[in-house]
Amino acid sequence: MTTLSLFPLLLLPLIFIITTTVTFPSPAQAGGGQWQLLQENIGVVGMHMQLLHNDRVVIFDRTDFGLSNLSLSNGRCRNNPQEQVVKTDCTAHSLEYDVVSNTFRPLFIQTNVWCSSGSVSPNGTLIQTGGFNDGDRTVRTFNPCPNCDWQEFNAGLAARRWYATNHMLPDGRQIIIGGRRQFNYEFYPKKDATAKNIYSLPFLVQTNDAGAENNLYPFVFLNVDGNLFIFANNRAILFDYNNNNVVKTYPSIPDGEPRNYPSTGSAVLLPLRNLQKPSVEAEVMICGGAPKGSFQKTLQGSFVGALNTCARMKITDPNPNWVMETMPGGRVMSDMLLLPNGDVLLINGATLGSAGWESGRNPILNPFLYKPNGVNGSRFQLQNPSRIPRMYHSTAVLLRDGRVLVAGSNPHVDYKFGNVLFPTELRLEAFSPSYLEAGSDDLRPTLVFPAPQSQTKLKYGQKLKVRFQVTAKLVKNLVSVTMLAPSFNTHSFSMNQRLLVLDEVKPTNKVSSKKIVVEKSALVYQVEVTIPSSPIHAPPGYYLLFVVHQEIPSQGIWVQLL
Ligand SMILES: *[C@@H]1O[C@H](CO)[C@@H](O)[C@H](O)[C@H]1NC(C)=O
Ligand SMILES: *[C@@H]1O[C@H](CO)[C@@H](O)[C@H](O)[C@H]1NC(C)=O
Ligand SMILES: *[C@@H]1O[C@H](CO)[C@@H](O)[C@H](O)[C@H]1NC(C)=O
């Protein structure tokens, strides 16, 4: 059934005009990445997604949207007197997608997870916090094991957290910042029973636009000095969360336009390099969003063009400033994902309007690929388009095999499949960046050590000999080893997203560090790298480790840094 055939004929002309999707002149097929439909109907909108170290992705929506299209297993039903829509509900609002077998199973969630947040703790358990109504102070855990399900702890949070941002800390706790009408932060788990529970954060008051907010789901990154970089609306602070102290106030983005919900842009911490040097640099990049007032205008039927700019700033500079760049087009509600080779992918979203119910128009079907170290002016490359609009409440996460999983889109209060713009979207897709094309197979490294399934435990500062094979001639200085922290994705932001480019161990004699080892008569190359020596650079937990050769990444392997 096509989307269009669901519209009554009378509405067609009007809808046709305003649903025109933006596809730029189609780039050549090769080099522009490829789309793959994985599932026609997973039954639940992918509003939140997290990849876990068993290569399964936990996906969940809100619980008060009425019935989903996925039944709970074994005839189970959810009886919840607090629920606002359906008090006895035999459908699932969460599921686990198994990447390897391309199958999924329903999960049982009791309290409302709508617009919540989360992080994976060092032992690999997802800790997910907050939501709405009966779920706004709930802490839920999901342990990655074959038949595990959600566990919920009510009143686990000190404050209601709806549209908050979480980040892993070097000591293995997570910080939970803000949320609607919450100008404060807290930690989970709490240090001890006597610990103060809520700490105020006036920056969130200062960045709250009256009636519009524009500061929800703030962009938070752990800086290399141990402080947190917190961006809300159009500006940022460097924040010492231990002492509740603003260390530095950064300049506003020059155009002054907002970048956080509902003016939803996205942000990444660009790859961290030279981690063994005395002073490590960190740089943040923020792209897209919606000009001030855009959300309010959508309520009157006017849809303003999204911002077409990105702002980059070295947050470790003594005198930092934003440097602006122009994208091939405007984007709002897009996701920014770090790829294993250090490129940034912008995917999903729209070119008009803002985040919020029915507030986006003109889906943008083409991802943009951004090369952070490319020549200024030619860093963006247009990618091949999907056919599926991914509007408000859509998500994207990187998988171990280098593909990007894309789910969700539902700008309506309920599940609606007809008579609406952008029907509720239950299809699951993958985008394969061009590095996965067969033309690069010769260059592609295959990891042989650490053994791919071993989930090797790594210690801070240890040396690691990484061994891999490549069919084509190896270009020594174009090999790197990277580690990526899998992120919690919702509302166009990937919490905890972090890519570390590992330093090579300097060879002590004249033998190159990219040694050739002959193993079972096949050529195996070896590169020795140093694992980050500080949990400030890399908080403890599971990471994906990749070898990259001439910008082509291997498949990742899971490692656990403790
Ligand atoms: C989902 O469920 C609704 C309500 O039961 C139904 O109308 C619709 O056809 C279903 N859609 C799909 C894609 O299964
Ligand atoms: C992992 O740690 C979290 C937080 O400390 C805890 O709730 C969870 O039970 C642990 N999981 C396992 C499998 O031990
Ligand atoms: C890129 O070039 C433009 C135009 O010359 C300049 O304004 C901008 O600051 C440069 N951006 C970066 C990131 O260097």
Side-chain angles (χ1 to χ4, degrees):
M1 188 165 22
T2 67
T3 309
L4 221 64
S5 69
L6 290 168
F7 293 123
L9 268 177
L10 245 173
L11 281 173
L12 250 179
L14 173 71
I15 286 171
F16 189 72
I17 293 163
I18 47 187
T19 60
T20 316
T21 49
V22 176
T23 47
F24 291 88
S26 208
Q29 188 70 20
Q34 278 182 358
W35 288 89
Q36 177 189 14
L37 183 64
L38 299 173
Q39 291 288 340
E40 201 47 69
N41 184 353
I42 56 169
V44 174
V45 171
M47 189 194 293
H48 315 75
M49 287 210 285
Q50 172 77 58
L51 172 69
L52 298 173
H53 69 272
N54 57 357
D55 288 323
R56 296 181 187 194
V57 181
V58 174
I59 301 176
F60 54 98
D61 195 6
R62 56 188 280 194
T63 59
D64 59 350
F65 262 167
L67 303 179
S68 79
N69 283 76
L70 179 65
S71 296
L72 285 166
S73 52
N74 305 323
R76 283 207 295 175
C77 294
R78 186 170 148 262
N79 296 298
N80 186 346
Q82 314 301 323
E83 189 53 88
Q84 294 182 335
V85 178
V86 189
K87 297 202 193 298
T88 300
D89 180 353
C90 306
T91 67
H93 301 282
S94 175
L95 65 122
E96 183 194 60
Y97 173 70
D98 182 345
V99 177
V100 177
S101 64
N102 188 23
T103 55
F104 57 95
R105 65 180 177 102
L107 300 176
F108 187 103
I109 210 154
Q110 178 69 11
T111 58
N112 198 347
V113 273
W114 180 19
C115 297
S116 59
S117 46
S119 293
V120 179
S121 68
N123 64 10
T125 294
L126 169 61
I127 298 182
Q128 182 278 331
T129 56
F132 182 68
N133 187 27
D134 64 334
D136 60 10
R137 289 181 54 202
T138 306
V139 173
R140 308 168 191 85
T141 61
F142 186 87
N143 188 12
C145 51
N147 289 304
C148 289
D149 214 321
W150 287 102
Q151 288 191 297
E152 304 188 43
F153 307 94
N154 290 326
L157 296 178
R160 297 169 160 184
R161 301 289 171 189
W162 193 33
Y163 298 84
T165 296
N166 298 25
H167 204 290
M168 279 311 296
L169 298 174
D171 65 4
R173 289 179 303 161
Q174 55 178 305
I175 189 167
I176 306 155
I177 301 178
R180 208 156 221 169
R181 295 181 280 276
Q182 294 296 342
F183 308 105
N184 56 53
Y185 61 97
E186 66 181 281
F187 300 93
Y188 190 87
K190 312 281 179 236
K191 242 181 190 151
D192 55 67
T194 61
K196 198 176 158 204
N197 283 328
I198 297 178
Y199 302 82
S200 76
L201 186 54
F203 174 67
L204 293 177
V205 179
Q206 294 147 16
T207 50
N208 187 40
D209 283 344
E213 297 174 317
N214 285 331
N215 67 346
L216 298 180
Y217 282 123
F219 303 142
V220 178
F221 301 106
L222 176 62
N223 191 15
V224 291
D225 65 358
N227 294 311
L228 290 173
F229 174 88
I230 306 177
F231 183 98
N233 197 325
N234 55 17
R235 56 194 187 271
I237 53 170
L238 189 63
F239 188 66
D240 172 358
Y241 58 87
N242 284 314
N243 298 303
N244 190 250
N245 179 36
V246 176
V247 177
K248 182 179 230 161
T249 300
Y250 291 100
S252 301
I253 292 186
D255 63 16
E257 299 290 6
R259 264 84 178 173
N260 295 86
Y261 181 91
S263 289
T264 305
S266 191
V268 288
L269 177 68
L270 290 172
L272 296 174
R273 298 168 192 279
N274 301 318
L275 295 168
Q276 304 307 314
K277 294 239 169 86
S279 62
V280 180
E281 282 188 350
E283 188 172 5
V284 165
M285 179 171 178
I286 296 175
C287 292
K292 205 166 265 175
S294 291
F295 172 71
Q296 288 80 349
K297 286 182 187 146
T298 69
L299 305 178
Q300 285 128 42
S302 153
F303 300 89
V304 176
L307 301 174
N308 68 348
T309 49
C310 296
R312 270 175 79 157
M313 180 168 66
K314 284 210 173 110
I315 63 172
T316 43
D317 262 11
N319 296 303
N321 259 309
W322 295 102
V323 183
M324 303 304 288
E325 276 180 84
T326 306
M327 295 192 280
R331 302 189 85 114
V332 62
M333 294 184 284
S334 293
D335 289 282
M336 286 174 80
L337 297 185
L338 293 168
L339 300 179
N341 62 1
D343 290 349
V344 180
L345 187 73
L346 286 93
I347 193 166
N348 298 344
T351 67
L352 297 179
S354 75
W357 302 129
E358 320 293 343
S359 286
R361 291 291 184 276
N362 280 35
I364 181 159
L365 302 177
N366 302 75
F368 297 159
L369 186 73
Y370 178 82
K371 297 195 163 294
N373 302 323
V375 177
N376 183 8
S378 49
R379 289 179 183 153
F380 285 100
Q381 294 173 4
L382 202 59
Q383 302 295 290
N384 289 323
S386 169
R387 289 178 301 111
I388 305 175
R390 298 289 181 178
M391 307 294 281
Y392 188 42
H393 292 156
S394 61
T395 44
V397 295
L398 184 88
L399 301 175
R400 188 169 65 77
D401 60 21
R403 289 178 301 161
V404 170
L405 187 70
V406 173
S409 184
N410 183 21
H412 321 292
V413 177
D414 297 307
Y415 280 30
K416 290 189 175 143
F417 301 99
N419 300 331
V420 284
L421 276 171
F422 315 121
T424 300
E425 186 54 68
L426 301 177
R427 285 174 287 183
L428 188 69
E429 278 176 300
F431 177 71
S432 296
S434 61
Y435 55 57
L436 289 172
E437 285 171 10
S440 299
D441 282 354
D442 273 9
L443 301 176
R444 191 181 324 283
T446 305
L447 261 157
V448 293
F449 183 84
Q453 302 306 323
S454 64
Q455 303 220 337
T456 298
K457 283 190 168 59
L458 300 175
K459 289 199 172 62
Y460 285 98
Q462 82 164 77
K463 308 272 188 276
L464 180 72
K465 291 186 169 87
V466 177
R467 293 181 180 183
F468 58 96
Q469 293 181 296
V470 176
T471 314
K473 193 171 183 309
L474 184 85
V475 181
K476 276 194 275 185
N477 55 358
L478 295 180
V479 174
S480 59
V481 177
T482 61
M483 274 171 66
L484 183 79
S487 46
F488 183 95
N489 179 279
T490 190
H491 289 76
S492 307
F493 186 57
S494 291
M495 303 172 195
N496 296 304
Q497 188 172 220
R498 202 170 186 84
L499 184 77
L500 306 141
V501 182
L502 303 188
D503 290 5
E504 277 177 47
V505 175
K506 286 257 161 54
T508 45
N509 51 30
K510 290 206 170 85
V511 179
S512 156
S513 61
K514 270 148 207 148
K515 275 200 289 219
I516 295 175
V517 179
V518 179
E519 214 170 68
K520 288 184 193 131
S521 76
L523 277 191
V524 176
Y525 297 93
Q526 173 175 299
V527 52
E528 195 174 0
V529 291
T530 307
I531 299 306
S533 49
S534 164
I536 291 172
H537 294 163
Y542 282 88
Y543 287 78
L544 283 168
L545 184 137
F546 300 89
V547 176
V548 183
H549 176 226
Q550 299 197 45
E551 300 189 39
I552 307 298
S554 65
Q555 290 217 351
I557 59 169
W558 288 105
V559 293
Q560 189 185 20
L561 181 58
L562 286 173

mmCIF file of all heavy atoms in Angstrom, residues 95-123:
data_model
loop_
_atom_site.group_PDB
_atom_site.id
_atom_site.type_symbol
_atom_site.label_atom_id
_atom_site.label_comp_id
_atom_site.label_asym_id
_atom_site.label_seq_id
_atom_site.Cartn_x
_atom_site.Cartn_y
_atom_site.Cartn_z
ATOM 1 N N LEU A 95 10.666 -2.502 21.508
ATOM 2 C CA LEU A 95 11.071 -3.760 20.904
ATOM 3 C C LEU A 95 12.579 -3.845 20.866
ATOM 4 O O LEU A 95 13.277 -2.846 21.057
ATOM 5 C CB LEU A 95 10.505 -3.893 19.482
ATOM 6 C CG LEU A 95 11.015 -2.889 18.453
ATOM 7 C CD1 LEU A 95 11.655 -3.604 17.284
ATOM 8 C CD2 LEU A 95 9.876 -2.012 17.975
ATOM 9 N N GLU A 96 13.052 -5.061 20.641
ATOM 10 C CA GLU A 96 14.484 -5.287 20.480
ATOM 11 C C GLU A 96 14.700 -5.784 19.059
ATOM 12 O O GLU A 96 14.136 -6.806 18.661
ATOM 13 C CB GLU A 96 14.960 -6.329 21.500
ATOM 14 C CG GLU A 96 16.444 -6.560 21.448
ATOM 15 C CD GLU A 96 16.846 -7.823 22.198
ATOM 16 O OE1 GLU A 96 16.366 -8.917 21.832
ATOM 17 O OE2 GLU A 96 17.624 -7.717 23.150
ATOM 18 N N TYR A 97 15.532 -5.058 18.303
ATOM 19 C CA TYR A 97 15.838 -5.434 16.919
ATOM 20 C C TYR A 97 17.198 -6.116 16.895
ATOM 21 O O TYR A 97 18.183 -5.553 17.371
ATOM 22 C CB TYR A 97 15.835 -4.185 16.028
ATOM 23 C CG TYR A 97 16.300 -4.480 14.625
ATOM 24 C CD1 TYR A 97 15.510 -5.226 13.754
ATOM 25 C CD2 TYR A 97 17.550 -4.053 14.173
ATOM 26 C CE1 TYR A 97 15.943 -5.529 12.476
ATOM 27 C CE2 TYR A 97 17.988 -4.343 12.892
ATOM 28 C CZ TYR A 97 17.173 -5.087 12.049
ATOM 29 O OH TYR A 97 17.618 -5.399 10.782
ATOM 30 N N ASP A 98 17.236 -7.322 16.344
ATOM 31 C CA ASP A 98 18.475 -8.083 16.244
ATOM 32 C C ASP A 98 19.075 -7.820 14.859
ATOM 33 O O ASP A 98 18.533 -8.253 13.840
ATOM 34 C CB ASP A 98 18.168 -9.570 16.449
ATOM 35 C CG ASP A 98 19.419 -10.431 16.404
ATOM 36 O OD1 ASP A 98 20.475 -9.943 15.943
ATOM 37 O OD2 ASP A 98 19.341 -11.595 16.827
ATOM 38 N N VAL A 99 20.204 -7.103 14.834
ATOM 39 C CA VAL A 99 20.791 -6.657 13.567
ATOM 40 C C VAL A 99 21.202 -7.848 12.711
ATOM 41 O O VAL A 99 20.947 -7.886 11.509
ATOM 42 C CB VAL A 99 22.036 -5.772 13.835
ATOM 43 C CG1 VAL A 99 22.706 -5.372 12.535
ATOM 44 C CG2 VAL A 99 21.649 -4.546 14.655
ATOM 45 N N VAL A 100 21.834 -8.851 13.343
ATOM 46 C CA VAL A 100 22.424 -9.947 12.581
ATOM 47 C C VAL A 100 21.341 -10.781 11.888
ATOM 48 O O VAL A 100 21.449 -11.105 10.710
ATOM 49 C CB VAL A 100 23.317 -10.818 13.493
ATOM 50 C CG1 VAL A 100 23.883 -12.008 12.732
ATOM 51 C CG2 VAL A 100 24.444 -9.955 14.073
ATOM 52 N N SER A 101 20.258 -11.097 12.603
ATOM 53 C CA SER A 101 19.220 -11.940 11.991
ATOM 54 C C SER A 101 18.100 -11.117 11.355
ATOM 55 O O SER A 101 17.190 -11.678 10.762
ATOM 56 C CB SER A 101 18.633 -12.883 13.050
ATOM 57 O OG SER A 101 17.978 -12.121 14.052
ATOM 58 N N ASN A 102 18.159 -9.784 11.493
ATOM 59 C CA ASN A 102 17.105 -8.901 10.970
ATOM 60 C C ASN A 102 15.721 -9.348 11.455
ATOM 61 O O ASN A 102 14.779 -9.513 10.682
ATOM 62 C CB ASN A 102 17.167 -8.818 9.439
ATOM 63 C CG ASN A 102 16.212 -7.771 8.869
ATOM 64 O OD1 ASN A 102 15.821 -6.824 9.564
ATOM 65 N ND2 ASN A 102 15.810 -7.944 7.613
ATOM 66 N N THR A 103 15.629 -9.595 12.771
ATOM 67 C CA THR A 103 14.349 -9.966 13.377
ATOM 68 C C THR A 103 14.132 -9.075 14.597
ATOM 69 O O THR A 103 15.060 -8.393 15.037
ATOM 70 C CB THR A 103 14.361 -11.438 13.856
ATOM 71 O OG1 THR A 103 15.471 -11.610 14.745
ATOM 72 C CG2 THR A 103 14.492 -12.407 12.689
ATOM 73 N N PHE A 104 12.934 -9.109 15.143
ATOM 74 C CA PHE A 104 12.684 -8.288 16.337
ATOM 75 C C PHE A 104 11.680 -8.981 17.244
ATOM 76 O O PHE A 104 10.951 -9.875 16.816
ATOM 77 C CB PHE A 104 12.198 -6.887 15.944
ATOM 78 C CG PHE A 104 10.952 -6.857 15.090
ATOM 79 C CD1 PHE A 104 9.695 -6.698 15.672
ATOM 80 C CD2 PHE A 104 11.031 -6.981 13.703
ATOM 81 C CE1 PHE A 104 8.547 -6.661 14.891
ATOM 82 C CE2 PHE A 104 9.878 -6.950 12.914
ATOM 83 C CZ PHE A 104 8.639 -6.794 13.512
ATOM 84 N N ARG A 105 11.698 -8.586 18.518
ATOM 85 C CA ARG A 105 10.729 -9.141 19.477
ATOM 86 C C ARG A 105 10.189 -7.994 20.328
ATOM 87 O O ARG A 105 10.901 -7.019 20.607
ATOM 88 C CB ARG A 105 11.382 -10.215 20.352
ATOM 89 C CG ARG A 105 12.474 -9.700 21.264
ATOM 90 C CD ARG A 105 13.096 -10.806 22.107
ATOM 91 N NE ARG A 105 14.187 -10.290 22.920
ATOM 92 C CZ ARG A 105 14.098 -10.014 24.232
ATOM 93 N NH1 ARG A 105 12.974 -10.229 24.894
ATOM 94 N NH2 ARG A 105 15.123 -9.523 24.892
ATOM 95 N N PRO A 106 8.922 -8.101 20.753
ATOM 96 C CA PRO A 106 8.335 -7.035 21.562
ATOM 97 C C PRO A 106 8.925 -7.018 22.962
ATOM 98 O O PRO A 106 9.313 -8.059 23.486
ATOM 99 C CB PRO A 106 6.848 -7.398 21.608
ATOM 100 C CG PRO A 106 6.791 -8.858 21.332
ATOM 101 C CD PRO A 106 7.969 -9.180 20.462
ATOM 102 N N LEU A 107 9.014 -5.845 23.556
ATOM 103 C CA LEU A 107 9.435 -5.696 24.949
ATOM 104 C C LEU A 107 8.282 -5.055 25.720
ATOM 105 O O LEU A 107 7.427 -4.385 25.138
ATOM 106 C CB LEU A 107 10.684 -4.828 25.050
ATOM 107 C CG LEU A 107 11.936 -5.329 24.324
ATOM 108 C CD1 LEU A 107 13.060 -4.304 24.430
ATOM 109 C CD2 LEU A 107 12.385 -6.678 24.869
ATOM 110 N N PHE A 108 8.320 -5.264 27.021
ATOM 111 C CA PHE A 108 7.220 -4.797 27.883
ATOM 112 C C PHE A 108 7.690 -3.586 28.676
ATOM 113 O O PHE A 108 8.633 -3.675 29.457
ATOM 114 C CB PHE A 108 6.821 -5.928 28.829
ATOM 115 C CG PHE A 108 5.595 -5.643 29.649
ATOM 116 C CD1 PHE A 108 4.379 -6.220 29.313
ATOM 117 C CD2 PHE A 108 5.640 -4.800 30.755
ATOM 118 C CE1 PHE A 108 3.228 -5.960 30.081
ATOM 119 C CE2 PHE A 108 4.513 -4.530 31.507
ATOM 120 C CZ PHE A 108 3.293 -5.115 31.165
ATOM 121 N N ILE A 109 7.022 -2.478 28.478
ATOM 122 C CA ILE A 109 7.367 -1.280 29.241
ATOM 123 C C ILE A 109 6.100 -0.785 29.928
ATOM 124 O O ILE A 109 5.040 -0.725 29.311
ATOM 125 C CB ILE A 109 8.039 -0.237 28.316
ATOM 126 C CG1 ILE A 109 9.022 0.616 29.079
ATOM 127 C CG2 ILE A 109 7.032 0.611 27.595
ATOM 128 C CD1 ILE A 109 10.117 1.177 28.205
ATOM 129 N N GLN A 110 6.210 -0.501 31.220
ATOM 130 C CA GLN A 110 5.006 -0.193 31.992
ATOM 131 C C GLN A 110 4.708 1.312 32.040
ATOM 132 O O GLN A 110 3.596 1.743 31.815
ATOM 133 C CB GLN A 110 5.168 -0.737 33.426
ATOM 134 C CG GLN A 110 4.016 -0.452 34.375
ATOM 135 C CD GLN A 110 2.734 -1.220 34.032
ATOM 136 O OE1 GLN A 110 2.740 -2.126 33.200
ATOM 137 N NE2 GLN A 110 1.632 -0.832 34.649
ATOM 138 N N THR A 111 5.731 2.113 32.332
ATOM 139 C CA THR A 111 5.488 3.553 32.530
ATOM 140 C C THR A 111 5.851 4.329 31.273
ATOM 141 O O THR A 111 6.548 3.820 30.394
ATOM 142 C CB THR A 111 6.306 4.074 33.724
ATOM 143 O OG1 THR A 111 7.688 3.808 33.470
ATOM 144 C CG2 THR A 111 5.891 3.398 35.017
ATOM 145 N N ASN A 112 5.423 5.576 31.226
ATOM 146 C CA ASN A 112 5.518 6.340 29.979
ATOM 147 C C ASN A 112 6.920 6.900 29.725
ATOM 148 O O ASN A 112 7.401 7.756 30.463
ATOM 149 C CB ASN A 112 4.485 7.474 30.004
ATOM 150 C CG ASN A 112 4.229 8.024 28.611
ATOM 151 O OD1 ASN A 112 4.977 7.735 27.675
ATOM 152 N ND2 ASN A 112 3.181 8.816 28.477
ATOM 153 N N VAL A 113 7.533 6.435 28.647
ATOM 154 C CA VAL A 113 8.910 6.799 28.290
ATOM 155 C C VAL A 113 8.984 7.960 27.290
ATOM 156 O O VAL A 113 10.041 8.222 26.712
ATOM 157 C CB VAL A 113 9.651 5.600 27.659
ATOM 158 C CG1 VAL A 113 10.282 4.733 28.706
ATOM 159 C CG2 VAL A 113 8.722 4.795 26.787
ATOM 160 N N TRP A 114 7.916 8.627 27.070
ATOM 161 C CA TRP A 114 7.820 9.685 26.056
ATOM 162 C C TRP A 114 8.888 10.766 26.271
ATOM 163 O O TRP A 114 8.994 11.347 27.338
ATOM 164 C CB TRP A 114 6.412 10.276 26.144
ATOM 165 C CG TRP A 114 6.105 11.380 25.196
ATOM 166 C CD1 TRP A 114 6.758 11.702 24.042
ATOM 167 C CD2 TRP A 114 5.039 12.322 25.318
ATOM 168 N NE1 TRP A 114 6.161 12.777 23.436
ATOM 169 C CE2 TRP A 114 5.098 13.167 24.209
ATOM 170 C CE3 TRP A 114 4.033 12.517 26.267
ATOM 171 C CZ2 TRP A 114 4.190 14.216 24.012
ATOM 172 C CZ3 TRP A 114 3.130 13.553 26.075
ATOM 173 C CH2 TRP A 114 3.213 14.391 24.951
ATOM 174 N N CYS A 115 9.657 11.055 25.229
ATOM 175 C CA CYS A 115 10.686 12.109 25.247
ATOM 176 C C CYS A 115 11.624 11.972 26.443
ATOM 177 O O CYS A 115 11.839 12.916 27.205
ATOM 178 C CB CYS A 115 10.070 13.495 25.202
ATOM 179 S SG CYS A 115 9.160 13.790 23.679
ATOM 180 N N SER A 116 12.173 10.771 26.583
ATOM 181 C CA SER A 116 13.067 10.488 27.697
ATOM 182 C C SER A 116 14.504 10.444 27.198
ATOM 183 O O SER A 116 14.802 10.879 26.087
ATOM 184 C CB SER A 116 12.650 9.180 28.346
ATOM 185 O OG SER A 116 12.714 8.139 27.389
ATOM 186 N N SER A 117 15.388 9.912 28.021
ATOM 187 C CA SER A 117 16.815 9.964 27.696
ATOM 188 C C SER A 117 17.518 8.774 28.346
ATOM 189 O O SER A 117 16.900 8.016 29.096
ATOM 190 C CB SER A 117 17.402 11.288 28.185
ATOM 191 O OG SER A 117 16.964 11.569 29.505
ATOM 192 N N GLY A 118 18.807 8.600 28.084
ATOM 193 C CA GLY A 118 19.503 7.456 28.661
ATOM 194 C C GLY A 118 20.966 7.388 28.300
ATOM 195 O O GLY A 118 21.465 8.195 27.513
ATOM 196 N N SER A 119 21.644 6.413 28.894
ATOM 197 C CA SER A 119 23.068 6.139 28.638
ATOM 198 C C SER A 119 23.307 4.675 28.962
ATOM 199 O O SER A 119 22.618 4.106 29.812
ATOM 200 C CB SER A 119 23.972 6.941 29.574
ATOM 201 O OG SER A 119 23.909 8.309 29.322
ATOM 202 N N VAL A 120 24.326 4.094 28.352
ATOM 203 C CA VAL A 120 24.701 2.723 28.680
ATOM 204 C C VAL A 120 25.754 2.774 29.780
ATOM 205 O O VAL A 120 26.754 3.483 29.653
ATOM 206 C CB VAL A 120 25.251 1.993 27.446
ATOM 207 C CG1 VAL A 120 25.652 0.569 27.813
ATOM 208 C CG2 VAL A 120 24.202 1.963 26.348
ATOM 209 N N SER A 121 25.530 2.031 30.858
ATOM 210 C CA SER A 121 26.487 2.059 31.967
ATOM 211 C C SER A 121 27.696 1.183 31.609
ATOM 212 O O SER A 121 27.658 0.416 30.656
ATOM 213 C CB SER A 121 25.810 1.648 33.261
ATOM 214 O OG SER A 121 25.464 0.301 33.195
ATOM 215 N N PRO A 122 28.806 1.306 32.383
ATOM 216 C CA PRO A 122 30.053 0.614 32.012
ATOM 217 C C PRO A 122 29.897 -0.894 31.836
ATOM 218 O O PRO A 122 30.629 -1.500 31.079
ATOM 219 C CB PRO A 122 30.988 0.948 33.183
ATOM 220 C CG PRO A 122 30.489 2.254 33.700
ATOM 221 C CD PRO A 122 29.003 2.211 33.530
ATOM 222 N N ASN A 123 28.935 -1.511 32.529
ATOM 223 C CA ASN A 123 28.745 -2.966 32.384
ATOM 224 C C ASN A 123 27.846 -3.321 31.203
ATOM 225 O O ASN A 123 27.505 -4.473 31.006
ATOM 226 C CB ASN A 123 28.196 -3.558 33.693
ATOM 227 C CG ASN A 123 26.804 -3.026 34.021
ATOM 228 O OD1 ASN A 123 26.176 -2.361 33.188
ATOM 229 N ND2 ASN A 123 26.326 -3.337 35.210
#
